[in-house]
């Protein structure tokens, strides 16, 4: 038999009471509630429906002679007419099985496949399948579910990744929107091949090369424009300005490391498709795209600074200040209200979100320890407070005396502005706030950092590169790699070694000195070397 109905539901909840009339409490300590759904009394107004409460749903329920059942139910529709229209369309689509099938078992299987296709298209936000296209697929013997494209599956896969952090979800969404759907979205999921994935990465690599060339041309034209203006040559200035206007806009290239992360996202999505038996092979795992190594962090030596000043090009996307340059920045930042934040990041390697999300309950100034527990991260321009990136991120970080004193000064400043703000003060419990107690916007913290760096006359680095610098300076000072890894909140020392350790000259000199000391300590100073009988002076250790 077949049945269909339209009805209203809402999201209202009511407490669940025990036999004693007291609301029950769950294992998590929270009161137990349940959805009212179709039983909400607000859905009705007299003998009719309340137009101001709830949304419309429909359900189609079919049970054939053999007892096989197919249910299709959608909701959140604005009007009853829309629900009835959708129900009629679903009845018509599922009726294709009865129209074109002969064997009862085959008809039942076909009806299940059509229902699955309807649900898949609905989850992907595509609406109901087109009737004639579905009928044609059945007539030709094509798989009813073949319409599911890579783009549809990626959208469905991403919507189901509910446990992702905000930053990871934003990264996946950007990768799907910017690269995967434009290159692969229209390909039927079960026809995706290694060649498709390889061609996509070749195209992305070509686009990256073109972007880098264009960006270099823009920097060259901009440098010429500034030089002409400084020299007073208005003709050359105008020519350089016109050349700059004709060039394509600056766009960040998709480097090898980004392409590697892109392949990882596609591989994860196709693994989920394999688990649901939508595909049999994960072609992303078979595609060769290179090592995907992150760019090497380089230190701003005098030679590299001169190169940047002459060309406007950074030697590497990841550049790190020397200890002297970091000190120069802090000397400029000391006059700014966010000085303690920048000092904390430079000395401890905290992530930007961890510093912005640090709470006073996570700070022990007497013990000179902080224990980050929350972070403030961006979702678009919106700022969210979330848990830390991983379990390893929850760690105790020691503070130098200078940092502890800066945090004490920050606490005194905050107490002063709290008293002056009075009732306008917003109590967030955060260490770093605005003058009314609100949390800082991470993007504004970055923008202010860049402004202070320019005012200090320093070569450009990202705020995150202070984290690289903290790791490298700690290693240069002889701090054990495991200690540095724990300070940064990494899950293992391999991550610290591979990503965050810029090798300063001090480390190279220390290695050379250690080798020389070992050689010189292994023999008397007057011992001959090789076959020569001349007196050889000991090798001098390079410091």
């Amino acid at each position: 038999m077949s049945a269909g109905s339209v009805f209203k539901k809402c999201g209202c909840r009511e407490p669940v009471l025990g036999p004693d009339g007291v609301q029950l409490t769950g294992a998590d300590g929270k009161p137990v509630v349940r959805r009212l759904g179709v039983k909400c009394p607000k859905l009705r107004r007299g003998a009719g429906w309340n137009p101001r409460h709830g949304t419309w749903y429909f359900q189609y329920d079919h049970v054939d002679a053999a007892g096989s059942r197919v249910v299709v139910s959608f909701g959140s529709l604005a009007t009853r007419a829309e629900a009835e229209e959708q129900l009629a369309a679903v009845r018509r689509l599922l009726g294709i099985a009865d129209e074109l099938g002969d064997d009862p078992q085959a008809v039942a299987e076909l009806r299940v496949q059509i229902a699955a296709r309807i649900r898949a298209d609905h989850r992907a936000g595509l609406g109901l399948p087109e009737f004639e296209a579905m009928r044609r697929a059945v007539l030709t013997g094509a798989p009813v579910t073949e319409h599911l494209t890579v783009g549809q599956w990626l959208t469905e896969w991403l919507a189901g990744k509910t446990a992702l952090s905000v930053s990871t979800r934003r990264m996946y969404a950007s990768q799907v929107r910017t690269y995967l759907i434009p290159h692969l979205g229209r390909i039927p999921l079960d026809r995706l091949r290694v060649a498709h994935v390889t061609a996509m990465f070749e195209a992305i690599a070509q686009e990256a090369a073109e972007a880098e060339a264009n960006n270099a041309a823009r920097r060259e034209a901009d440098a010429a424009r500034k030089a002409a203006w400084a020299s007073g040559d208005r003709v050359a200035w105008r020519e350089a300005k016109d050349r700059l206007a004709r060039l394509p806009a600056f766009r960040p290239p998709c480097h090898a490391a980004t392409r590697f992360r892109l392949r990882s996202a596609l591989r994860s999505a196709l693994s989920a498709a394999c688990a649901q038996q939508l595909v049999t092979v994960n072609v992303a795992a078979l595609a060769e795209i290179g090592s995907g190594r992150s760019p090497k962090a380089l230190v701003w030596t005098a030679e590299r600074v001169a190169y940047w000043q002459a060309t406007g090009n950074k030697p590497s996307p990841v550049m790190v200040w020397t200890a002297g340059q970091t000190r120069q920045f802090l000397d400029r930042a000391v006059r700014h209200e966010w000085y303690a934040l920048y000092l904390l990041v430079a000395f401890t390697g905290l992530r930007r979100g961890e510093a912005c999300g640090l709470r006073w309950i996570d700070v022990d100034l007497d013990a000179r320890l902080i224990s980050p527990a929350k972070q403030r991260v961006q979702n678009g321009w919106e700022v969210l407070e979330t848990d830390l990136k991983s379990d390893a991120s929850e760690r105790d970080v020691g503070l130098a005396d200078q940092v502890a004193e800066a945090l004490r000064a920050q606490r005194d400043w905050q107490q002063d502005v709290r008293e002056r703000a009075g009732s306008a003060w917003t109590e967030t419990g955060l260490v770093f706030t605005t003058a009314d107690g609100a949390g800082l916007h991470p993007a504004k913290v970055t923008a202010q950092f860049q402004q202070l760096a320019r005012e200090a006359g320093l070569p450009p680095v990202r705020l995150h590169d202070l984290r690289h610098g903290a790791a490298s300076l700690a290693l240069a000072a002889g701090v054990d790699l495991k200690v540095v890894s724990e300070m940064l909140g990494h899950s293992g020392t391999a991550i610290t070694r591979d990503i965050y350790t810029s090798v300063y000259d001090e480390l190279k000199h220390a290695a050379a000195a250690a080798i020389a000391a070992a050689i010189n300590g292994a023999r008397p100073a007057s011992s001959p070397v090789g076959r020569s009988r001349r007196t050889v002076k000991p090798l001098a250790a390079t410091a």
Side-chain angles (χ1 to χ4, degrees):
M1 65 177 180
S2 298
S5 61
V6 296
F7 51 93
K8 267 194 160 186
K9 284 201 311 186
C10 69
C12 294
R13 294 174 171 82
E14 68 176 1
V16 177
L17 306 179
D20 56 357
V22 178
Q23 185 173 7
L24 298 177
T25 301
D28 56 358
K30 296 181 180 179
V32 179
V33 296
R34 63 185 166 209
R35 289 182 179 272
L36 292 174
V38 297
K39 297 181 180 180
C40 180
K42 297 179 183 179
L43 292 172
R44 291 283 185 176
R45 178 179 290 179
W49 295 100
N50 181 357
R52 297 180 180 272
H53 194 76
T55 55
W56 287 96
Y57 287 71
F58 74 86
Q59 178 169 308
Y60 178 81
D61 202 341
H62 176 90
V63 180
D64 61 22
S68 177
R69 185 183 183 188
V70 171
V71 178
V72 177
S73 179
F74 298 155
S76 298
L77 302 172
T79 66
R80 178 179 188 133
E82 186 178 358
E84 290 175 340
E85 181 181 347
Q86 294 271 304
L87 174 60
V90 168
R91 281 177 174 151
R92 191 171 180 226
L93 283 167
L94 291 170
I96 295 174
D98 297 301
E99 175 189 351
L100 302 178
D102 296 324
D103 178 63
Q105 182 63 33
V107 168
E109 292 176 358
L110 181 57
R111 188 180 296 111
V112 169
Q113 293 175 13
I114 295 174
R117 164 72 179 277
I118 292 172
R119 287 191 289 267
D121 281 9
H122 176 73
R123 285 194 299 269
L126 300 174
L128 295 176
E130 182 183 357
F131 176 82
E132 289 300 331
M134 177 68 73
R135 192 172 188 277
R136 186 166 54 249
V138 174
L139 280 171
T140 58
V144 171
T145 58
E146 189 179 28
H147 180 71
L148 184 64
T149 64
V150 174
Q152 293 168 9
W153 171 248
L154 288 171
T155 302
E156 181 179 345
W157 166 77
L158 186 58
K161 302 285 285 184
T162 56
L164 293 176
S165 67
V166 172
S167 58
T168 303
R169 173 174 291 280
R170 188 170 65 246
M171 180 186 70
Y172 277 171
S174 176
Q175 291 170 336
V176 168
R177 179 182 65 253
T178 308
Y179 297 108
L180 295 179
I181 287 183
H183 285 277
L184 305 175
R186 296 186 178 183
I187 301 172
L189 181 61
D190 63 346
R191 296 184 182 180
L192 183 65
R193 300 292 182 262
V194 174
H196 294 131
V197 179
T198 302
M200 176 186 72
F201 283 112
E202 289 175 351
I204 292 174
Q206 179 62 33
E207 293 168 3
E210 293 171 357
E212 289 178 333
N214 173 70
N215 294 343
R218 287 192 64 87
R219 284 190 288 265
E220 181 181 351
D222 192 45
R225 179 184 62 84
K226 293 177 180 178
W229 180 267
S231 66
D233 188 342
R234 295 297 181 265
V235 174
W237 172 80
R238 193 171 294 106
E239 290 176 351
K241 182 180 178 183
D242 291 342
R243 185 165 70 253
L244 190 63
R246 290 193 299 270
L247 289 169
F250 178 89
R251 56 194 174 102
C254 184
H255 293 292
T258 305
R259 296 196 291 272
F260 186 78
R261 289 191 291 270
L262 181 62
R263 198 268 292 270
S264 296
L266 180 59
R267 185 168 54 193
S268 177
L270 293 181
S271 291
C274 287
Q276 295 193 25
Q277 298 182 336
L278 299 175
V279 295
T280 57
V281 178
N282 189 333
V283 295
L286 304 177
E288 295 291 339
I289 64 168
S291 64
R293 294 178 180 175
S294 299
K296 178 178 175 57
L298 299 178
V299 181
W300 274 117
T301 61
E303 294 78 11
R304 289 168 181 154
V305 172
Y307 168 79
W308 165 71
Q309 291 173 335
T311 66
N313 296 326
K314 292 169 59 176
S316 171
V318 181
M319 297 301 299
V320 181
W321 285 332
T322 63
Q325 290 164 339
T326 303
R327 186 164 53 249
Q328 184 178 339
F329 167 77
L330 293 173
D331 287 345
R332 170 61 190 90
V334 72
R335 301 189 295 276
H336 194 273
E337 61 183 298
W338 296 343
Y339 165 71
L341 186 152
Y342 297 129
L343 183 73
L344 180 66
V345 174
F347 274 56
T348 65
L350 250 62
R351 301 177 178 93
R352 180 184 69 171
E354 293 172 340
C356 291
L358 188 66
R359 305 168 299 178
W360 284 115
I361 60 173
D362 304 323
V363 178
D364 187 341
L365 291 178
D366 293 332
R368 293 185 305 161
L369 285 173
I370 59 172
S371 305
K374 295 290 182 179
Q375 61 179 349
R376 286 175 61 81
V377 297
Q378 286 181 241
N379 182 23
W381 186 251
E382 181 187 8
V383 180
L384 304 176
E385 183 177 285
T386 69
D387 293 331
L388 296 185
K389 187 175 180 180
S390 64
D391 291 341
S393 298
E394 298 181 6
R395 75 277 192 196
D396 295 330
V397 181
L399 303 177
D401 291 340
Q402 181 182 352
V403 180
E405 287 304 314
L407 290 177
R408 286 191 177 92
Q410 171 69 14
R411 185 176 58 188
D412 294 341
W413 171 86
Q414 195 177 83
Q415 179 61 32
D416 181 55
V417 296
R418 179 189 287 109
E419 293 174 356
R420 284 190 274 124
S423 60
W425 178 263
T426 301
E427 187 55 62
T428 59
L430 295 171
V431 174
F432 303 109
T433 65
T434 61
D436 61 359
L440 301 181
H441 196 294
K444 294 182 178 179
V445 172
T446 293
Q448 185 60 60
F449 167 79
Q450 294 168 341
Q451 176 64 29
L452 292 171
R454 286 192 294 268
E455 293 174 0
L458 289 164
V461 300
R462 305 169 303 168
L463 175 57
H464 191 75
D465 292 334
L466 287 186
R467 180 171 165 84
H468 291 258
S472 299
L473 289 169
L475 290 166
V479 179
D480 184 76
L481 181 63
K482 181 172 177 55
V483 175
V484 175
S485 179
E486 292 175 351
M487 177 186 75
L488 296 174
H490 288 160
S491 58
T493 56
I495 299 175
T496 312
R497 183 186 302 109
D498 294 343
I499 300 178
Y500 289 100
T501 54
S502 305
V503 181
Y504 282 86
D505 287 340
E506 294 94 322
L507 287 177
K508 299 175 183 177
H509 293 162
I515 294 171
I519 294 175
N520 290 333
R523 59 177 173 76
S526 60
S527 171
V529 178
R531 297 183 179 179
S532 172
R533 297 185 178 277
R534 293 178 296 169
T535 300
V536 180
K537 295 181 179 181
L539 297 175
T542 55

